[in-house]
Amino acid sequence: LDGLNQLEVLGGGISIDETVSLKNLDALGNLKEIKGTIFINNNQSLESISGLDNLDFAATIEIINNAALKDIPFKNLHLVKSSILIQKNPNLTTINGFESLVQVQRLRIDSNAILANIQGFPLLEQTDYINIFKNPQLINISGGPLLKNTVALEIRNNQKLISIDGFESLETVQSFSFF
């Protein structure tokens, strides 16, 4: 990916899919906007996506089945037009970023085998759906203190979950599932 280190705006999507030896996305460090979908799927050696820390906008983000990925930072991401899907990343232990995210239509975090902590999202004000399920080692969910309304909040099948901290401004939820 080294030849892409000056890229700042991508008019469509990007797919980083089924790589064997790619360890990081550092070459994408100047990327600020992706007008399409980011697919980061089925990468055997990808350990870090911190190269996307300067990203401000994306239409959709899908991070699925990356065997070596341990955390997901996204420090400067402000807006995701559609959805964020974080699914089936077997070594993901923490989601601790999204410090600047204000809006995403759907946030779905599911089936991450050793995910223990979800923290961050301190500026999230608008989302229609939050789905967090089937993360068998999840202990703590912390974040979302500015979120006031959502259509659905679904937190289920997280057997070890003991703490949900945040969401203190939440006033209206049309559908709530917790089990």
Side-chain angles (χ1 to χ4, degrees):
L1 297 176
D2 288 336
L4 302 174
N5 56 358
Q6 295 304 311
L7 187 62
E8 290 185 14
V9 176
L10 190 59
I14 184 170
S15 181
I16 301 166
D17 194 24
E18 298 192 21
T19 66
V20 175
S21 59
L22 183 67
K23 293 202 181 293
N24 63 61
L25 303 180
D26 292 350
L28 299 175
N30 286 323
L31 196 56
K32 292 178 178 46
E33 185 175 336
I34 297 177
K35 295 182 180 181
T37 299
I38 304 170
F39 292 104
I40 303 173
N41 302 326
N42 302 310
N43 298 288
Q44 291 180 13
S45 301
L46 186 64
E47 297 172 355
S48 172
I49 59 172
S50 63
L52 295 173
D53 275 352
N54 287 321
L55 191 65
D56 179 66
F57 171 84
T60 300
I61 298 174
E62 292 190 5
I63 302 170
I64 303 170
N65 198 29
N66 297 284
L69 191 62
K70 290 186 169 74
D71 73 330
I72 297 177
F74 283 108
K75 294 181 179 5
N76 293 305
L77 187 64
H78 181 76
L79 173 65
V80 176
K81 185 177 180 183
S82 183
S83 64
I84 297 172
L85 172 60
I86 301 170
Q87 181 181 55
K88 296 181 181 175
N89 296 286
N91 286 303
L92 181 65
T93 58
T94 303
I95 298 172
N96 65 352
F98 298 97
E99 287 102 353
S100 300
L101 186 66
V102 174
Q103 180 180 345
V104 59
Q105 184 178 7
R106 177 183 296 263
L107 174 61
R108 179 175 164 180
I109 302 169
D110 77 89
S111 305
N112 297 286
I114 64 170
L115 179 64
N117 290 294
I118 299 172
Q119 50 197 57
F121 305 97
L123 300 178
L124 185 63
E125 294 177 359
Q126 185 176 355
T127 185
D128 291 338
Y129 302 93
I130 298 174
N131 310 100
I132 302 172
F133 58 93
K134 295 182 184 174
N135 300 287
Q137 301 300 315
L138 185 62
I139 297 168
N140 176 54
I141 299 171
S142 176
L146 301 179
L147 184 65
K148 291 186 179 185
N149 305 295
T150 188
V151 173
L153 178 58
E154 177 184 32
I155 301 172
R156 62 180 174 85
N157 296 332
N158 301 291
Q159 294 88 343
K160 293 190 177 181
L161 184 62
I162 58 173
S163 174
I164 300 174
D165 188 24
F167 304 111
E168 54 266 0
S169 296
L170 196 59
E171 296 172 356
T172 306
V173 177
Q174 293 180 20
S175 174
F176 177 70
S177 298
F178 180 82
F179 56 91

